[in-house]
Amino acid sequence: MAIKNAYLLDLLERTKQRNANEPEFIQAVTEVFSTLEPVIEQRQDLVDAGVLERIVEPERQIIFRVPWVDDKGVFHVNRGFRVQYNSAIGPYKGGIRLHPSVYLGIIKFLGFEQVFKNSLTTLPMGGAKGGSDFDPKGKSDGEIMRFCQSFMTELYRHIGADLDVPAGDIGTGAREIGYMFGQYKRIANEFVGVLTGKGLVYGGSLARKEATGYGLCYFTHEMLQANGMSFDGKTVLVSGSGNVAIYACEKATEYGAKVVAMSDSNGYVYDKDGIDLDVVKQIKEVERKRISEYVKYRKNAEYHEGCKGIWTIPCDIALPCATQNEIDGESAKILAKNGCKVVSEGANMPSTPEAIDTYFEAGMLYGPAKAANAGGVATSGLEMSQNSMRYSWSFEEVDAKLHDIMKSIFKACDEASKKYGMPGNYMAGANIAGFIKVAEAMKAHGNV
Ligand code: NDP
């Protein structure tokens, strides 16, 4: 969507100049601005309070050295980041990404998105993100532990249960959170809910592991129903085979869909009979191997090198659950041509601007990440509540709360899209609903 409002155009230009080497961050800001025009035109008070100038600038950006030693005794140095983006509505909250592609621009884009996403959850959480350019692939448990301990040895001074509560993201699962929590507890000498995604035996929440994938399907289910459709009998593509992808596949299958493909950063598998998720869990969660192994267990399945090819498989619903910009304009056109009617995002910003334009042109339903994948952070919020109460809810209780939250997120997106004259544009609805709450809080706090 093109931006016409002169104030937004000018601020976007200044934001581009100040962050010229961070294309992912600019992409995320441009997308949000492209939908805020009707709000800005009605709410001069928010412009006068400088809310937009402040919202594009993180409150605090921390960059630090992470030295560690590998199993052969060789020294390594990675770069650690924590961007505490916005604390207007609660303590900073957002995951830690461990991936070689990580640099400040990726963490800033993720932190910016997190602000609106956390606002949509209805829970009191500000937005943050962190990570490192460390590559966990192929590392031993000992190497992962030494890296995580070194990372936390610096990070611990910047976080706290009422200040900033990190969680998992790409490359940071239960194992990494465990090592980081252990090191925090040791240095800070306190046992508090300073991280979420913890193991169940030391303060983790039931259903946190499943939450982002399940939540994605709960949101998508609401969106489908509101438009006279359902998962039942539909053919679904799920990219990735990590935490989000696995539990999206599980819930979509429970809803009666047939997931026929999954992927990793090397390639994808196509199983026309429907993905056998037990096999994927065994390969990915237990053995930590590549998705190519899948065809050893399922003789009728095919493996193809390269991840983009997954979007050439005919489907009704696409659930991108791997990484940013994994669906470009070309892939989106192929999806539309093959009859795909719905794209709903488990990953953060998996669609390029050209892909999003294609979804709208083709009349597809589009569930944007900051609403559709908010179930993970919402359940992290529920983990924080349980930790504060020194109490834990059953799987069913957490799952029911997650389900309610995803319903209310869809409702908020739907209502905002209608109120501001863009019915059915859930991207605009998510941006507007998420923005207004944070903006009101920022205005109330004065110019801080
Ligand atoms: P995982 O590390 O568990 O899994 C990531 C998956 O995506 C892996 O299969 C990985 O393959 C694949 N992948 C990574 N990079 C690429 C790439 N360039 N091309 C193709 N595939 C790739 O991460 P999560 O499942 O936790 O996160 C996935 C996405 O969901 C991310 O965008 C994350 O920010 C988002 N998200 C996660 C939440 C959570 O609760 N975990 C919450 C909200 C959003 P490989 O193993 O080869 O790297």
Side-chain angles (χ1 to χ4, degrees):
M1 288 161 73
I3 303 170
K4 292 187 214 79
N5 179 283
Y7 168 74
L8 286 173
L9 277 173
D10 174 60
L11 179 55
L12 181 61
E13 200 43 49
R14 282 185 279 140
T15 308
K16 283 181 181 169
Q17 280 168 15
R18 279 161 77 93
N19 305 278
N21 298 318
E22 297 168 358
E24 298 85 0
F25 176 63
I26 298 298
Q27 184 182 336
V29 173
T30 306
E31 186 223 280
V32 169
F33 275 20
S34 76
T35 57
L36 288 186
E37 216 151 296
V39 183
I40 295 310
E41 278 158 13
Q42 289 178 30
R43 294 294 306 270
Q44 186 60 36
D45 59 316
L46 298 179
V47 176
D48 293 345
V51 163
L52 281 122
E53 269 88 351
R54 287 187 278 145
I55 219 162
V56 291
E57 190 67 22
E59 287 175 13
R60 191 172 299 114
Q61 306 179 51
I62 302 150
I63 303 181
F64 53 95
R65 181 169 67 196
V66 190
W68 59 280
V69 180
D70 70 19
D71 289 345
K72 297 193 181 95
V74 178
F75 284 66
H76 298 269
V77 176
N78 284 100
R79 191 169 280 180
F81 302 89
R82 187 71 181 165
V83 172
Q84 297 178 330
Y85 208 103
N86 190 301
S87 61
I89 62 166
Y92 305 109
K93 180 92 196 88
I96 292 174
R97 177 172 292 192
L98 301 181
H99 194 272
S101 64
V102 164
Y103 77 105
L104 186 60
I106 294 270
I107 301 300
K108 274 171 68 181
F109 116 66
L110 289 163
F112 181 75
E113 294 274 298
Q114 198 80 45
V115 174
F116 304 99
K117 182 186 309 190
N118 292 3
S119 163
L120 283 170
T121 65
T122 69
L123 304 175
M125 298 182 289
K129 202 80 188 189
S132 172
D133 56 1
F134 173 77
D135 186 357
K137 247 181 245 145
K139 303 289 190 299
S140 70
D141 279 357
E143 289 169 334
I144 297 281
M145 182 181 75
R146 291 193 292 280
F147 170 83
C148 290
Q149 289 178 338
S150 180
F151 184 80
M152 187 52 81
T153 300
E154 175 59 31
L155 186 67
Y156 93 97
R157 68 188 84 245
H158 306 290
I159 61 176
D162 293 317
L163 167 64
D164 182 358
V165 182
D169 190 69
I170 291 180
T172 308
R175 174 181 57 171
E176 292 74 18
I177 293 289
Y179 293 145
M180 289 181 196
F181 183 80
Q183 184 71 349
Y184 179 89
K185 183 168 69 66
R186 179 187 188 195
I187 307 179
N189 197 27
E190 59 176 15
F191 193 115
V192 291
V194 72
L195 290 162
T196 58
K198 299 187 290 298
L200 293 176
V201 291
Y202 63 94
S205 173
L206 286 159
R208 174 60 187 91
K209 185 174 67 167
E210 293 82 358
T212 310
Y214 278 20
L216 167 65
C217 292
Y218 294 147
F219 178 93
T220 308
H221 174 74
E222 293 299 311
M223 181 169 73
L224 288 168
Q225 290 223 308
N227 291 276
M229 296 156 81
S230 80
F231 266 117
D232 198 28
K234 300 292 189 302
T235 300
V236 176
L237 306 177
V238 176
S239 64
S241 47
N243 174 259
V244 180
I246 286 177
Y247 294 95
C249 178
E250 186 163 287
K251 189 52 79 178
T253 308
E254 263 180 49
Y255 269 126
K258 183 160 83 171
V259 177
V260 294
M262 293 183 81
S263 62
D264 62 19
S265 55
N266 293 107
Y268 67 96
V269 288
Y270 172 52
D271 188 341
K272 65 177 174 14
D273 301 325
I275 289 284
D276 184 335
L277 199 57
D278 288 339
V279 170
V280 176
K281 284 184 181 174
Q282 175 65 26
I283 297 167
K284 286 292 177 180
E285 292 186 337
V286 181
E287 297 170 13
R288 295 181 189 275
K289 287 192 176 155
R290 312 306 300 156
I291 198 72
S292 54
E293 299 282 312
Y294 183 86
V295 294
K296 291 188 185 156
Y297 296 84
R298 298 272 289 180
K299 296 296 172 206
N300 290 334
E302 300 165 12
Y303 173 72
H304 299 269
E305 279 290 322
C307 1
K308 254 184 91 171
I310 191 171
W311 309 121
T312 63
I313 302 169
C315 71
D316 302 301
I317 299 172
L319 302 177
C321 295
T323 194
Q324 65 275 354
N325 292 329
E326 54 172 311
I327 306 185
D328 58 14
E330 187 194 1
S331 296
K333 285 198 175 75
I334 297 171
L335 281 168
K337 188 166 133 275
N338 284 342
C340 176
K341 293 167 206 71
V342 182
V343 177
S344 201
E345 299 178 333
N348 283 310
M349 205 169 75
S351 308
T352 64
E354 298 73 29
I356 296 172
D357 287 345
T358 302
Y359 306 153
F360 286 121
E361 280 158 25
M364 292 156 79
L365 285 182
Y366 171 48
K370 55 174 83 65
N373 75 20
V377 73
T379 308
S380 279
L382 300 177
E383 182 173 331
M384 289 165 71
S385 304
Q386 293 170 82
N387 292 164
S388 300
M389 291 189 293
R390 304 264 194 273
Y391 187 71
S392 55
W393 292 316
S394 68
F395 186 97
E396 290 71 25
E397 283 173 296
V398 179
D399 191 34
K401 289 183 201 304
L402 166 66
H403 201 157
D404 283 347
I405 289 172
M406 297 316 294
K407 279 185 187 172
S408 77
I409 291 177
F410 176 75
K411 192 162 172 272
C413 297
D414 190 36
E415 286 177 357
S417 75
K418 288 175 180 150
K419 183 172 173 195
Y420 288 93
M422 295 175 269
N425 182 340
Y426 305 118
M427 174 178 83
N431 289 339
I432 292 171
F435 169 77
I436 286 179
K437 183 171 161 192
V438 175
E440 298 283 14
M442 289 174 76
K443 186 183 161 202
H445 294 165
N447 190 17
V448 293

PDB file of all heavy atoms in Angstrom, residues 376-395:
ATOM      1  N   GLY A 376       2.726 -17.308  20.763  1.00  0.00           N
ATOM      2  CA  GLY A 376       3.949 -17.663  21.491  1.00  0.00           C
ATOM      3  C   GLY A 376       4.206 -16.685  22.623  1.00  0.00           C
ATOM      4  O   GLY A 376       4.353 -17.069  23.788  1.00  0.00           O
ATOM      5  N   VAL A 377       4.216 -15.416  22.260  1.00  0.00           N
ATOM      6  CA  VAL A 377       4.511 -14.420  23.310  1.00  0.00           C
ATOM      7  C   VAL A 377       3.347 -14.320  24.293  1.00  0.00           C
ATOM      8  O   VAL A 377       3.559 -14.066  25.488  1.00  0.00           O
ATOM      9  CB  VAL A 377       4.906 -13.056  22.697  1.00  0.00           C
ATOM     10  CG1 VAL A 377       3.709 -12.326  22.093  1.00  0.00           C
ATOM     11  CG2 VAL A 377       5.563 -12.181  23.747  1.00  0.00           C
ATOM     12  N   ALA A 378       2.137 -14.545  23.816  1.00  0.00           N
ATOM     13  CA  ALA A 378       0.997 -14.510  24.736  1.00  0.00           C
ATOM     14  C   ALA A 378       1.170 -15.590  25.811  1.00  0.00           C
ATOM     15  O   ALA A 378       0.963 -15.343  27.009  1.00  0.00           O
ATOM     16  CB  ALA A 378      -0.308 -14.727  23.972  1.00  0.00           C
ATOM     17  N   THR A 379       1.589 -16.768  25.392  1.00  0.00           N
ATOM     18  CA  THR A 379       1.768 -17.849  26.369  1.00  0.00           C
ATOM     19  C   THR A 379       3.004 -17.599  27.228  1.00  0.00           C
ATOM     20  O   THR A 379       3.044 -17.997  28.401  1.00  0.00           O
ATOM     21  CB  THR A 379       1.808 -19.205  25.643  1.00  0.00           C
ATOM     22  OG1 THR A 379       0.651 -19.276  24.803  1.00  0.00           O
ATOM     23  CG2 THR A 379       1.782 -20.368  26.613  1.00  0.00           C
ATOM     24  N   SER A 380       3.977 -16.907  26.686  1.00  0.00           N
ATOM     25  CA  SER A 380       5.098 -16.463  27.530  1.00  0.00           C
ATOM     26  C   SER A 380       4.574 -15.531  28.609  1.00  0.00           C
ATOM     27  O   SER A 380       5.023 -15.582  29.761  1.00  0.00           O
ATOM     28  CB  SER A 380       6.145 -15.731  26.691  1.00  0.00           C
ATOM     29  OG  SER A 380       6.977 -16.654  26.028  1.00  0.00           O
ATOM     30  N   GLY A 381       3.626 -14.671  28.241  1.00  0.00           N
ATOM     31  CA  GLY A 381       2.995 -13.795  29.233  1.00  0.00           C
ATOM     32  C   GLY A 381       2.285 -14.612  30.299  1.00  0.00           C
ATOM     33  O   GLY A 381       2.347 -14.292  31.493  1.00  0.00           O
ATOM     34  N   LEU A 382       1.650 -15.702  29.877  1.00  0.00           N
ATOM     35  CA  LEU A 382       0.975 -16.574  30.850  1.00  0.00           C
ATOM     36  C   LEU A 382       2.007 -17.293  31.733  1.00  0.00           C
ATOM     37  O   LEU A 382       1.762 -17.537  32.916  1.00  0.00           O
ATOM     38  CB  LEU A 382       0.095 -17.599  30.122  1.00  0.00           C
ATOM     39  CG  LEU A 382      -1.033 -17.015  29.241  1.00  0.00           C
ATOM     40  CD1 LEU A 382      -1.782 -18.134  28.508  1.00  0.00           C
ATOM     41  CD2 LEU A 382      -2.016 -16.204  30.077  1.00  0.00           C
ATOM     42  N   GLU A 383       3.176 -17.605  31.144  1.00  0.00           N
ATOM     43  CA  GLU A 383       4.256 -18.212  31.953  1.00  0.00           C
ATOM     44  C   GLU A 383       4.715 -17.217  33.030  1.00  0.00           C
ATOM     45  O   GLU A 383       4.932 -17.586  34.189  1.00  0.00           O
ATOM     46  CB  GLU A 383       5.421 -18.618  31.042  1.00  0.00           C
ATOM     47  CG  GLU A 383       6.567 -19.307  31.771  1.00  0.00           C
ATOM     48  CD  GLU A 383       7.636 -19.863  30.813  1.00  0.00           C
ATOM     49  OE1 GLU A 383       7.310 -20.222  29.663  1.00  0.00           O
ATOM     50  OE2 GLU A 383       8.817 -19.934  31.228  1.00  0.00           O
ATOM     51  N   MET A 384       4.828 -15.940  32.651  1.00  0.00           N
ATOM     52  CA  MET A 384       5.231 -14.909  33.628  1.00  0.00           C
ATOM     53  C   MET A 384       4.195 -14.809  34.754  1.00  0.00           C
ATOM     54  O   MET A 384       4.558 -14.690  35.930  1.00  0.00           O
ATOM     55  CB  MET A 384       5.374 -13.552  32.930  1.00  0.00           C
ATOM     56  CG  MET A 384       6.585 -13.468  32.013  1.00  0.00           C
ATOM     57  SD  MET A 384       6.518 -12.050  30.871  1.00  0.00           S
ATOM     58  CE  MET A 384       6.776 -10.674  31.960  1.00  0.00           C
ATOM     59  N   SER A 385       2.912 -14.868  34.385  1.00  0.00           N
ATOM     60  CA  SER A 385       1.862 -14.786  35.419  1.00  0.00           C
ATOM     61  C   SER A 385       1.981 -15.962  36.382  1.00  0.00           C
ATOM     62  O   SER A 385       1.897 -15.791  37.607  1.00  0.00           O
ATOM     63  CB  SER A 385       0.471 -14.824  34.781  1.00  0.00           C
ATOM     64  OG  SER A 385       0.336 -13.813  33.842  1.00  0.00           O
ATOM     65  N   GLN A 386       2.183 -17.159  35.837  1.00  0.00           N
ATOM     66  CA  GLN A 386       2.293 -18.354  36.691  1.00  0.00           C
ATOM     67  C   GLN A 386       3.505 -18.242  37.608  1.00  0.00           C
ATOM     68  O   GLN A 386       3.446 -18.591  38.787  1.00  0.00           O
ATOM     69  CB  GLN A 386       2.374 -19.623  35.823  1.00  0.00           C
ATOM     70  CG  GLN A 386       1.084 -19.899  35.056  1.00  0.00           C
ATOM     71  CD  GLN A 386       1.268 -21.014  34.026  1.00  0.00           C
ATOM     72  OE1 GLN A 386       1.218 -22.193  34.356  1.00  0.00           O
ATOM     73  NE2 GLN A 386       1.480 -20.645  32.768  1.00  0.00           N
ATOM     74  N   ASN A 387       4.631 -17.729  37.064  1.00  0.00           N
ATOM     75  CA  ASN A 387       5.843 -17.572  37.878  1.00  0.00           C
ATOM     76  C   ASN A 387       5.598 -16.576  39.014  1.00  0.00           C
ATOM     77  O   ASN A 387       6.015 -16.804  40.155  1.00  0.00           O
ATOM     78  CB  ASN A 387       7.023 -17.083  37.023  1.00  0.00           C
ATOM     79  CG  ASN A 387       7.516 -18.121  36.018  1.00  0.00           C
ATOM     80  OD1 ASN A 387       8.241 -17.792  35.081  1.00  0.00           O
ATOM     81  ND2 ASN A 387       7.136 -19.376  36.181  1.00  0.00           N
ATOM     82  N   SER A 388       4.901 -15.479  38.697  1.00  0.00           N
ATOM     83  CA  SER A 388       4.643 -14.463  39.728  1.00  0.00           C
ATOM     84  C   SER A 388       3.749 -15.015  40.827  1.00  0.00           C
ATOM     85  O   SER A 388       3.916 -14.693  41.999  1.00  0.00           O
ATOM     86  CB  SER A 388       3.953 -13.240  39.124  1.00  0.00           C
ATOM     87  OG  SER A 388       4.758 -12.684  38.144  1.00  0.00           O
ATOM     88  N   MET A 389       2.807 -15.879  40.422  1.00  0.00           N
ATOM     89  CA  MET A 389       1.886 -16.461  41.406  1.00  0.00           C
ATOM     90  C   MET A 389       2.497 -17.658  42.125  1.00  0.00           C
ATOM     91  O   MET A 389       1.885 -18.198  43.042  1.00  0.00           O
ATOM     92  CB  MET A 389       0.598 -16.944  40.703  1.00  0.00           C
ATOM     93  CG  MET A 389      -0.280 -15.849  40.176  1.00  0.00           C
ATOM     94  SD  MET A 389      -1.859 -16.525  39.617  1.00  0.00           S
ATOM     95  CE  MET A 389      -1.404 -17.507  38.212  1.00  0.00           C
ATOM     96  N   ARG A 390       3.674 -18.107  41.658  1.00  0.00           N
ATOM     97  CA  ARG A 390       4.272 -19.360  42.177  1.00  0.00           C
ATOM     98  C   ARG A 390       3.263 -20.502  42.061  1.00  0.00           C
ATOM     99  O   ARG A 390       2.984 -21.215  43.025  1.00  0.00           O
ATOM    100  CB  ARG A 390       4.681 -19.216  43.651  1.00  0.00           C
ATOM    101  CG  ARG A 390       5.627 -18.082  43.936  1.00  0.00           C
ATOM    102  CD  ARG A 390       7.076 -18.601  43.958  1.00  0.00           C
ATOM    103  NE  ARG A 390       7.997 -17.644  44.533  1.00  0.00           N
ATOM    104  CZ  ARG A 390       8.605 -16.677  43.841  1.00  0.00           C
ATOM    105  NH1 ARG A 390       8.341 -16.502  42.567  1.00  0.00           N
ATOM    106  NH2 ARG A 390       9.462 -15.878  44.433  1.00  0.00           N
ATOM    107  N   TYR A 391       2.708 -20.639  40.858  1.00  0.00           N
ATOM    108  CA  TYR A 391       1.603 -21.571  40.642  1.00  0.00           C
ATOM    109  C   TYR A 391       1.677 -22.026  39.192  1.00  0.00           C
ATOM    110  O   TYR A 391       2.266 -21.340  38.360  1.00  0.00           O
ATOM    111  CB  TYR A 391       0.292 -20.804  40.908  1.00  0.00           C
ATOM    112  CG  TYR A 391      -0.952 -21.668  40.886  1.00  0.00           C
ATOM    113  CD1 TYR A 391      -1.205 -22.575  41.908  1.00  0.00           C
ATOM    114  CD2 TYR A 391      -1.871 -21.563  39.856  1.00  0.00           C
ATOM    115  CE1 TYR A 391      -2.343 -23.362  41.880  1.00  0.00           C
ATOM    116  CE2 TYR A 391      -3.014 -22.342  39.830  1.00  0.00           C
ATOM    117  CZ  TYR A 391      -3.246 -23.240  40.839  1.00  0.00           C
ATOM    118  OH  TYR A 391      -4.360 -24.015  40.818  1.00  0.00           O
ATOM    119  N   SER A 392       1.084 -23.187  38.875  1.00  0.00           N
ATOM    120  CA  SER A 392       1.057 -23.538  37.449  1.00  0.00           C
ATOM    121  C   SER A 392      -0.300 -24.082  37.032  1.00  0.00           C
ATOM    122  O   SER A 392      -0.954 -24.793  37.803  1.00  0.00           O
ATOM    123  CB  SER A 392       2.164 -24.536  37.104  1.00  0.00           C
ATOM    124  OG  SER A 392       2.070 -25.659  37.920  1.00  0.00           O
ATOM    125  N   TRP A 393      -0.702 -23.692  35.842  1.00  0.00           N
ATOM    126  CA  TRP A 393      -1.969 -24.131  35.287  1.00  0.00           C
ATOM    127  C   TRP A 393      -1.768 -25.414  34.489  1.00  0.00           C
ATOM    128  O   TRP A 393      -0.664 -25.704  34.001  1.00  0.00           O
ATOM    129  CB  TRP A 393      -2.525 -23.048  34.345  1.00  0.00           C
ATOM    130  CG  TRP A 393      -2.956 -21.783  35.035  1.00  0.00           C
ATOM    131  CD1 TRP A 393      -3.681 -21.696  36.195  1.00  0.00           C
ATOM    132  CD2 TRP A 393      -2.690 -20.432  34.626  1.00  0.00           C
ATOM    133  NE1 TRP A 393      -3.894 -20.369  36.516  1.00  0.00           N
ATOM    134  CE2 TRP A 393      -3.311 -19.582  35.575  1.00  0.00           C
ATOM    135  CE3 TRP A 393      -2.009 -19.855  33.550  1.00  0.00           C
ATOM    136  CZ2 TRP A 393      -3.250 -18.193  35.483  1.00  0.00           C
ATOM    137  CZ3 TRP A 393      -1.961 -18.479  33.457  1.00  0.00           C
ATOM    138  CH2 TRP A 393      -2.569 -17.659  34.417  1.00  0.00           C
ATOM    139  N   SER A 394      -2.845 -26.176  34.302  1.00  0.00           N
ATOM    140  CA  SER A 394      -2.770 -27.410  33.503  1.00  0.00           C
ATOM    141  C   SER A 394      -2.632 -27.052  32.022  1.00  0.00           C
ATOM    142  O   SER A 394      -2.899 -25.900  31.615  1.00  0.00           O
ATOM    143  CB  SER A 394      -4.045 -28.233  33.702  1.00  0.00           C
ATOM    144  OG  SER A 394      -5.138 -27.540  33.114  1.00  0.00           O
ATOM    145  N   PHE A 395      -2.265 -28.046  31.210  1.00  0.00           N
ATOM    146  CA  PHE A 395      -2.159 -27.839  29.767  1.00  0.00           C
ATOM    147  C   PHE A 395      -3.473 -27.274  29.226  1.00  0.00           C
ATOM    148  O   PHE A 395      -3.484 -26.319  28.460  1.00  0.00           O
ATOM    149  CB  PHE A 395      -1.824 -29.173  29.072  1.00  0.00           C
ATOM    150  CG  PHE A 395      -1.553 -29.024  27.599  1.00  0.00           C
ATOM    151  CD1 PHE A 395      -0.251 -28.923  27.118  1.00  0.00           C
ATOM    152  CD2 PHE A 395      -2.597 -28.946  26.675  1.00  0.00           C
ATOM    153  CE1 PHE A 395      -0.003 -28.749  25.759  1.00  0.00           C
ATOM    154  CE2 PHE A 395      -2.356 -28.781  25.326  1.00  0.00           C
ATOM    155  CZ  PHE A 395      -1.053 -28.683  24.870  1.00  0.00           C
TER     156      PHE A 395
END
